[in-house]
Amino acid sequence: MTAVELHTPVLLDEALAALNLTPAGIYIDATFGRGGHSLAMLRHLGTHGRVYAFDKDPEAVRHAHNMFADEPRFTIRHGSYVQLEQFARAWGIMARVQGILMDLGVSSPQLDTPERGFSFRDEGPLDMRMDTTQGESAATWLARASEADIAYVLKEYGEERYAKRIARAIVNARVQTPFTTTRQLAEVVAAANPAWERHKDPSTRAFQGIRIFINNELADLDQALPQALNVLAPSGRLVVISFHSLEDRIVKNFMRDEAKGDDLPPDFPIRAAELHARMRLVGKAVKPSDDEIRANPRARSAVLRVAARLS
């Protein structure tokens, strides 16, 4: 196996504990990546247990077919977790799933493969698509987007303080030479950024913002979370690992709102049991240990949240 294939997912033990695995349970790995979570789940399941998975990235799906070619308890499809209910219906597991895991954001293999265009550290084509079979690449979008649209994406999704200044620099630079590579973009962003953060590449926020926009990550998450409730069995667990504040805010608010139930005034004369809550929160947010962060610096921003479907 290569180093990529041996990659250990962030918060693996914590995620497995949160899923509350049972030998004959049915589980969904909604972000297969390189299969670390799916493999660990299967090791905890008996002969009647099942893991269903999907991933936007066709390379991840190819890897899964090779990795689990002789594993009858495992099934994967190419697609996004925004298709969660569609896949669950096709598999005949609606309202029968004991646990759903979503490990959000870009995967390490995607970051570590320069040809995918996610990393500002390595030279590669400016692509950034998780699903390379469809959609617009970052290079194509940057070639046509207005300065205002670029600034909006950098600020809204990258939380970039100097979004307008960097957007202006991008538009000015593309007049001379169209953006085609990651280093080309990173150099323009770095030159336009007047205040580099300590221990952080000046291109980090810009690349994050463009990647999230190109892959429609936040809108997909907004659509997928409610579907998880319909797919889970009563008491089934939804486990989500986020890697930046925008994702985590969506997950936290969704779980909180579903656990609270109907949005009524605090003094409204109704019992808590009548508020139609659909979930209960399970524990507090979990973050990686110092040891895990030392072993894998990419884990430092991870947050794991858990909620269970009520009957």
Side-chain angles (χ1 to χ4, degrees):
M1 281 191 173
T2 67
V4 168
E5 290 171 324
L6 291 171
H7 171 71
T8 300
V10 172
L11 292 168
L12 177 60
D13 291 339
E14 293 84 350
L16 295 176
L19 286 167
N20 196 29
L21 297 162
T22 59
I26 298 173
Y27 300 90
I28 292 178
D29 184 350
T31 47
F32 178 81
R34 284 302 179 267
H37 287 122
S38 289
L39 180 62
M41 289 182 210
L42 287 165
R43 285 172 174 164
H44 285 77
L45 300 183
T47 55
H48 298 292
R50 294 290 183 273
V51 173
Y52 294 87
F54 38 92
D55 201 291
K56 282 184 175 181
D57 189 341
E59 185 57 38
V61 177
R62 283 191 288 271
H63 178 81
H65 286 311
N66 292 329
M67 185 176 183
F68 295 114
D70 300 318
E71 177 53 83
R73 300 173 299 163
F74 178 82
T75 302
I76 191 166
R77 297 236 347 228
H78 177 225
S80 165
Y81 49 54
V82 78
Q83 300 166 281
L84 184 54
E85 285 191 55
Q86 174 188 333
F87 289 149
R89 286 194 186 93
W91 289 325
I93 57 173
M94 282 292 291
R96 296 175 52 209
V97 175
Q98 278 74 51
I100 297 172
L101 175 65
M102 298 179 180
D103 185 6
L104 306 178
V106 65
S107 69
S108 289
Q110 288 167 336
L111 282 172
D112 295 336
T113 304
E115 292 76 18
R116 300 303 300 272
F118 287 101
S119 176
F120 43 77
R121 292 189 176 91
D122 300 307
E123 180 71 301
L126 189 59
D127 195 317
M128 293 196 193
R129 289 174 299 163
M130 293 178 181
D131 186 348
T132 53
T133 68
Q134 62 181 332
E136 190 174 42
S137 71
T140 301
W141 179 71
L142 284 173
R144 67 165 183 81
S146 69
E147 181 179 322
D149 285 345
I150 295 171
Y152 175 83
V153 166
L154 299 184
K155 182 175 179 59
E156 188 72 11
Y157 303 131
E159 300 178 293
E160 174 55 67
R161 179 181 176 187
Y162 300 102
K164 290 184 178 180
R165 179 171 179 157
I166 293 171
R168 189 176 307 117
I170 289 172
V171 170
N172 289 339
R174 76 185 182 189
V175 173
Q176 304 299 321
T177 307
F179 286 98
T180 58
T181 71
T182 51
R183 287 306 311 161
Q184 185 185 1
L185 176 61
E187 288 169 4
V188 170
V189 171
N193 193 322
W196 293 18
E197 298 175 66
R198 189 179 183 186
H199 305 309
K200 181 176 285 189
D201 189 285
S203 301
T204 300
R205 294 183 184 277
F207 269 65
Q208 172 188 295
I210 295 170
R211 187 206 83 218
I212 289 173
F213 171 77
I214 289 296
N215 293 288
N216 205 40
E217 293 177 40
L218 301 186
D220 281 2
L221 182 60
D222 267 326
Q223 293 182 56
L225 291 172
Q227 294 181 47
L229 268 171
N230 299 327
V231 173
L232 285 169
S235 301
R237 300 282 185 90
L238 172 61
V239 180
V240 186
I241 302 173
S242 306
F243 285 86
H244 59 74
S245 60
L246 298 175
E247 291 174 337
D248 186 52
R249 189 178 306 129
I250 291 172
V251 175
K252 178 181 178 180
N253 289 343
F254 171 78
M255 291 182 174
R256 180 201 62 198
D257 292 346
E258 293 298 338
K260 184 176 68 173
D262 295 333
D263 188 14
L264 298 173
D267 58 349
F268 195 83
I270 189 171
R271 293 177 299 177
E274 298 175 301
L275 288 173
H276 302 108
R278 299 201 298 167
M279 304 194 85
R280 66 176 177 86
L281 302 180
V282 179
K284 297 182 178 180
V286 177
K287 297 184 179 181
S289 66
D290 291 340
D291 287 343
E292 181 169 6
I293 293 171
R294 278 192 290 270
N296 178 15
R298 288 177 182 167
R300 64 185 178 276
S301 60
V303 179
L304 181 148
R305 295 186 186 274
V306 189
R309 177 184 164 177
L310 297 175
S311 298

